[in-house]
Amino acid sequence: MVQKAKILLVDDRPENLLALEAILSALDQTLVRASSGEEALKALLTDDFAVILLDVQMPGMDGFETAAHIKRRERTRDIPIIFLTAINHGPHHTFRGYAAGAVDYISKPFDPWVLRAKVSVFVELYMKNCQLREQAALLRLQLEGGNQAETGSGRESAGLLAELSARLAAVEEQAEALSKQLDDDSADAAAVATAAHRERKLTGLRRALDALEPGTGGGSPTLPSQS
């Protein structure tokens, strides 16, 4: 069963949170509420999120300050943040949102379809990244097993390599389809850059896997990092 992605919704007004849940429920992912910046930071300590929808105007810690804390933490700094705001003070205000680390800045009232489409892109990228990590973990297990018992069954190793290669091929196909979708939809530059980053990671993993094939003399290849 594919694990659902978590989406963090941060707004001090319950009616706004309810509206966001209604818009994003069609994505069939796990929606997590936070009614303040402090509550959002607490949720981020224990859970991983695909994307954060963050209201700018909140009492106490506002959206900009919350985003700054998120970007300072190594665990959370790469999570995409979409700012939501009911006010528009012009380019300077928008620039402040991007400077705080947002990948998008949407003014209320917003088009529900557009918001849902933007969030879905980051959910897909998150899911592809999770799949990539699973493939890397399986490959590491294979390498560790090979180093500990080099005289083990070659047939079992070949079977595991074939399984890993098939799984990686499926992820590569999905990543390619997603990249084409981003190109067709003229998606945000941040989303396109993130997709390109994941493709490079997939390429590195494919090279590492190919190096394990019998007769390549690749030894123990270096696996791509998971950032």
Side-chain angles (χ1 to χ4, degrees), residues 42-138:
K42 184 177 179 180
L44 288 163
L45 288 174
T46 55
D47 290 324
D48 294 324
F49 292 90
V51 61
I52 302 170
L53 273 64
L54 180 57
D55 184 42
V56 171
Q57 287 187 296
M58 294 186 294
M61 185 184 297
D62 66 11
F64 295 131
E65 187 178 354
T66 302
H69 282 288
I70 292 172
K71 293 303 178 181
R72 279 199 292 265
R73 294 178 178 176
E74 183 176 357
R75 173 188 172 91
T76 59
R77 64 187 178 190
D78 293 327
I79 302 176
I81 298 174
I82 298 177
F83 271 132
L84 304 176
T85 179
I87 59 175
N88 186 0
H89 292 315
H92 176 74
H93 196 261
T94 302
F95 174 77
R96 186 182 176 191
Y98 287 117
V103 298
D104 211 336
Y105 196 97
I106 303 177
S107 297
K108 304 174 185 178
F110 43 77
D111 186 325
W113 187 91
V114 171
L115 179 63
R116 187 164 53 243
K118 288 177 179 291
V119 172
S120 69
V121 169
F122 290 107
V123 168
E124 287 189 67
L125 289 173
Y126 174 83
M127 299 300 286
K128 297 300 182 295
N129 188 36
C130 288
Q131 289 178 317
L132 177 57
R133 290 182 179 181
E134 290 175 1
Q135 303 309 318
L138 285 173

